[in-house]
Amino acid sequence: MKLFAGQPGWTARADVIVIGSGVAGLTTALNARAANLSVLLVTKSTIDEGSTKWAQGGIAAALGPGDSPDQHKEDTLIAGAGLCDLEAVNVLVTEGPEAVRKLIAHGAVFDKAETGEIALTREGGHHRNRILHAGGDATGAEVSRALLAAVHDDPGIEIIEHALVIDALHSESGRICGVLLHVIGEGSSTGVGRALARAVVIATGGLGQVYSQTTNPSVSTGDGVAMALRAGAAVADVEFIQFHPTVLWRDSSQGGQQPLISEAVRGEGAILLNHKGERFMQNLHEQADLAPRDIVAKAIFGQMKEALVPHVWLDATGIAEFPERFPTIFASCLANGIDPQRQFIPVSPASHYASGGVLVDLNGESSVPGLYICGESACTGAHGANRLASNSLLEGLVFGARISEHIAQNLPEQLEPELGGSDHPEESILLDPSTRIPLQLAMSEGVGVMRSEKSLKTALTTLQRLSTHRTMTPGVAAWEATNLYFLAMAIVRSALERRESRGSHWRMDYPETDQKWERRIIQHLDRAGDWSSTTVDVNS
Ligand SMILES: Cc1cc2nc3c(=O)[nH]c(=O)nc-3n(C[C@H](O)[C@H](O)[C@H](O)COP(=O)(O)OP(=O)(O)OC[C@H]3O[C@@H](n4cnc5c(N)ncnc54)[C@H](O)[C@@H]3O)c2cc1C
């Protein structure tokens, strides 16, 4: 199944196509170059756009005195609530420190303590100070800057900005041999081209825009995950959407990307207060305000429901030198009329991170040969039912290197020709862009922090109704809306199937964690657009 698009009018070629220019795409591209492969890097907006540059808190790695990969593993497994793939976590925590050192070698500069050592802080769910940060709360911007500088220095990486990748192309053997893409602004027919390669890496980031309020930027429409589904790859763990507990609440009518108030603010001593001005985390978890994200998000949601208020408060007035430690957050608070040094910050949860995605092995390869997935679009199994804070930038660094190594060692001698005549209009689909907002509202209402069979079925009915709103006019808005629809369907289907509460999936009608659900839900989409799902033991 493919998205309806015009016929390609031009062709580009490279050894490897990398889609996306966040930490995952840039790391993969640089490592592929180290293996002497030519790279075509395609990105939907300007090259620095994506979640990476917005990351605030930092990168987790066992680098501090007394810390070890085993301790990092333990915290990751606790957050993952029984669904982490042990091998994937091992890879993440043991290869993490080296991946961070490589990033530093690429020029990334992290904040230092007075001793001159890299300063390490703590975030929710970590029992050690192991979070590296840069520019106070501008870690992602520094990671992006350093990697981009290295990419720009390499003439073997061809970059196409403002190009939306639409679908993958198959060869006769079933291997992925390229992608169909559209250069935005070039017109819906003349802008469409094909890029051919011996391996394709999807690094298109998260899918926060499936919800009406998210911390993710506008490019995070999950295009790569939807494209992989249509190409025949499996997705897994998609019901585990992490809601960041503390997003600056502005007013309920403001949709799209919302300013994040990083966990690191609580790490430095800020506390959550309900509408009566009382603390509510202390009795709920031994780590109180620094409990894992799902626990804090649920607690805030509960306080909001009980008091019928749209937010709770974060008291950060006790943090000395707030503007110096958190310059980005300070600026967004001021821009919204709040001085965090003197006033409490209104906060509420919003969709933040997709712990699941396209199911891949330890080399980042999906079930479709030649199609690799890296970063937030992938389900490596390292996050299980809930990602531990600051493990995602790390995942992009670690798996980006592994993917490139695997590609370099397994690249076919020659590019396999594209399967001709694969465009059957009856297998195409394109939804009208007007479906986007109702879809986002339905997802926020029915598939948010807390779900139930009733709320999920209501969302499903809305999605089914929206799926009949078709268009024959291809374009960015229609491609994105259709991708959001496929992702929303996958999330709702898995959320309905999982009749228990675990990690970031909380069912009001099944509030207990059920041992028999210590299984991963895997979903497929066939060429006719029909869904199927299976469940597997995570560590069998
Ligand atoms: C506000 C915020 C704060 C965060 N803080 C932290 C933190 O402190 N620590 C941490 O570890 N994680 C954090 N995260 C999560 C982390 O930033 C992301 O998981 C990570 O950056 C994802 O990297 P990525 O390379 O997979 O995707 P991204 O950085 O999102 O990059 C995706 C790229 O794909 C491109 N793209 C998308 N669709 C297409 C298409 N169809 N065609 C071509 N290109 C496409 C985009 O333009 C972009 O370049 C945070 C996230 C947010 C939103």
Side-chain angles (χ1 to χ4, degrees), residues 89-128:
V89 177
N90 263 333
V91 164
L92 184 76
V93 299
T94 53
E95 297 180 17
E98 182 54 25
V100 169
R101 280 185 211 106
K102 263 195 186 167
L103 178 65
I104 293 170
H106 276 307
V109 180
F110 290 100
D111 296 338
K112 305 265 183 340
E114 274 168 15
T115 56
E117 298 294 319
I118 288 178
L120 297 169
T121 187
R122 195 174 298 203
E123 286 188 321
H126 291 271
H127 285 87
R128 286 267 177 195

Side-chain angles (χ1 to χ4, degrees), residues 275-304:
H275 76 292
K276 293 184 209 149
E278 296 160 350
R279 291 188 74 172
F280 54 88
M281 285 310 302
Q282 283 161 313
N283 296 334
L284 293 178
H285 196 273
E286 45 148 8
Q287 285 173 282
D289 298 86
L290 281 172
R293 282 185 182 168
D294 60 305
I295 293 177
V296 182
K298 274 176 257 170
I300 293 177
F301 186 81
Q303 292 289 334
M304 285 162 48

Side-chain angles (χ1 to χ4, degrees), residues 49 71 86 88 184 227 342 483:
E49 196 46 89
Q71 293 177 60
L86 293 178
I184 298 167
M227 162 179 146
R342 294 185 300 105
N483 286 333

Side-chain angles (χ1 to χ4, degrees), residues 436-454:
R436 180 173 176 140
I437 289 177
L439 177 147
Q440 291 168 324
L441 291 171
M443 289 299 287
S444 287
E445 188 59 33
V447 200
V449 178
M450 289 173 147
R451 302 110 188 243
S452 66
E453 179 162 335
K454 187 164 174 258

Side-chain angles (χ1 to χ4, degrees), residues 19-25 42-47 49-60 123 139 163-166 203-206 215-217 219-221 223-224 257-258 260 262 293 352-353 374-377 387 389-394 483:
I19 313 165
S21 52
V23 62
V42 184
T43 190
K44 184 155 78 167
S45 175
T46 52
I47 196 162
E49 196 46 89
S51 288
T52 297
K53 79 162 181 197
W54 294 97
Q56 296 180 346
I59 305 182
E123 286 188 321
T139 310
L164 182 145
V165 172
I166 304 166
T204 52
T215 60
N216 292 191
V219 291
S220 302
T221 46
D223 298 353
Q257 189 180 14
Q258 312 291 322
L260 178 77
S262 161
R293 282 185 182 168
H352 181 57
Y353 183 81
C374 192
E376 194 170 335
S377 299
R387 174 198 61 141
S390 284
N391 267 357
S392 42
L393 290 174
L394 187 70
N483 286 333

Side-chain angles (χ1 to χ4, degrees), residues 271-535:
I271 49 169
L272 287 159
L273 302 173
N274 64 17
H275 76 292
K276 293 184 209 149
E278 296 160 350
R279 291 188 74 172
F280 54 88
M281 285 310 302
Q282 283 161 313
N283 296 334
L284 293 178
H285 196 273
E286 45 148 8
Q287 285 173 282
D289 298 86
L290 281 172
R293 282 185 182 168
D294 60 305
I295 293 177
V296 182
K298 274 176 257 170
I300 293 177
F301 186 81
Q303 292 289 334
M304 285 162 48
K305 277 250 164 205
E306 193 186 308
L308 295 175
V309 290
H311 63 80
V312 295
W313 299 102
L314 185 67
D315 175 4
T317 54
I319 300 179
E321 298 174 351
F322 191 105
E324 292 76 25
R325 176 65 183 89
F326 301 111
T328 314
I329 299 171
F330 187 65
S332 13
C333 285
L334 285 190
N336 286 282
I338 294 142
D339 178 353
Q341 296 177 111
R342 294 185 300 105
Q343 291 164 288
F344 296 167
I345 307 169
V347 291
S348 65
S351 117
H352 181 57
Y353 183 81
S355 295
V358 186
L359 189 61
V360 292
D361 62 18
L362 292 179
N363 296 310
E365 196 170 20
S366 71
S367 51
V368 180
L371 186 62
Y372 294 78
I373 327 291
C374 192
E376 194 170 335
S377 299
C379 175
T380 60
H383 308 303
N386 202 8
R387 174 198 61 141
L388 183 66
S390 284
N391 267 357
S392 42
L393 290 174
L394 187 70
E395 190 187 36
L397 295 173
V398 167
F399 283 87
R402 289 179 79 86
I403 287 172
S404 307
E405 200 180 315
H406 190 262
I407 289 177
Q409 285 166 7
N410 295 279
L411 210 58
E413 292 270 299
Q414 286 186 335
L415 174 70
E416 294 186 14
E418 185 191 344
L419 179 67
S422 58
D423 285 336
H424 302 292
E426 71 277 11
E427 289 172 7
S428 296
I429 177 173
L430 202 57
L431 295 196
D432 194 89
S434 64
T435 56
R436 180 173 176 140
I437 289 177
L439 177 147
Q440 291 168 324
L441 291 171
M443 289 299 287
S444 287
E445 188 59 33
V447 200
V449 178
M450 289 173 147
R451 302 110 188 243
S452 66
E453 179 162 335
K454 187 164 174 258
S455 77
L456 291 165
K457 284 197 167 156
T458 305
L460 185 62
T461 306
T462 305
L463 294 179
Q464 285 163 339
R465 181 175 51 77
L466 293 174
S467 73
T468 61
H469 294 226
R470 307 272 173 113
T471 177
M472 290 302 279
T473 310
V476 174
W479 289 318
E480 286 188 346
T482 316
N483 286 333
L484 292 175
Y485 163 74
F486 281 114
L487 300 166
M489 280 299 285
I491 296 166
V492 174
R493 284 174 48 88
S494 288
L496 263 170
E497 191 167 344
R498 184 173 290 283
R499 291 187 185 85
E500 65 154 356
S501 292
R502 180 187 296 273
S504 53
H505 170 73
W506 185 265
R507 288 275 304 248
M508 289 179 277
D509 44 353
Y510 294 96
E512 302 300 326
T513 300
D514 185 343
Q515 181 79 27
K516 79 170 187 286
W517 268 109
E518 206 156 280
R519 297 175 72 77
R520 166 166 295 148
I521 300 174
I522 298 176
Q523 295 205 61
H524 278 100
L525 185 68
D526 71 13
R527 285 176 69 139
D530 292 325
W531 293 88
S532 59
S533 70
T534 46
T535 67

